Amino acid sequence: MCCCGPCAMYRRSALLLLLDKYETQLFRGRPSDFGEDRHLTILMLNAGFRTEYVPEAIAATVVPNSMGAYLRQQLRWARSTFRDTLLALRLLPGLDRYLTLDVIGQNLGPLLLALSVLTGLAQLALTATVPWSTILMIASMTMVRCGVAAFRARELRF
């Protein structure tokens, strides 16, 4: 649902068809300055184009080099995920079931993670016991999500 900016390629003819909508992206009535790659992907899918993952592709990008920069990046990405999910909901029935699962996971995952962490902290604070069941649940959900991605990509290291 998001072709990452530095790793994506588009046909010029397809991009030109959507350029006006892409350049005038608004969020709550103001020009949007985040999540442009996700927005462009959704515009492409809405227009009937398809996306394709090419595992042989090689791309370079800049990654955060501090925890603060990483957390700012993740917050920016989460904001665009939640915002653009509303645009993508009507697309889901026509797309691969994995994408539907991924969209659900991207939106419910952070909520369930926050709930799990709060539950674990409450258990630790109220009973002074280690919340092993919470830790196991978070680890299990992480492994399931990573396992599904690796299976779909047919590449264990994915």
Side-chain angles (χ1 to χ4, degrees), residues 19-90:
L19 198 55
D20 287 340
K21 288 181 183 178
Y22 174 67
E23 290 182 328
T24 58
Q25 179 187 11
L26 299 176
F27 180 61
R28 300 176 73 186
R30 295 191 329 220
S32 180
D33 61 350
F34 62 91
E36 66 284 345
D37 48 1
R38 182 177 298 276
H39 184 69
L40 182 57
T41 303
I42 291 171
L43 288 174
M44 290 284 179
L45 292 170
N46 268 330
F49 296 104
R50 66 186 181 101
T51 61
E52 187 170 328
Y53 171 68
V54 180
E56 298 83 18
I58 299 172
T61 187
V62 177
V63 297
N65 59 1
S66 69
M67 185 56 75
Y70 173 75
L71 292 174
R72 281 190 301 279
Q73 175 197 59
Q74 294 303 305
L75 179 60
R76 194 174 62 250
W77 286 1
R79 286 181 15 210
S80 70
T81 297
F82 295 135
R83 178 197 64 201
D84 291 332
T85 292
L86 295 174
L87 297 172
L89 285 178
R90 60 180 188 266

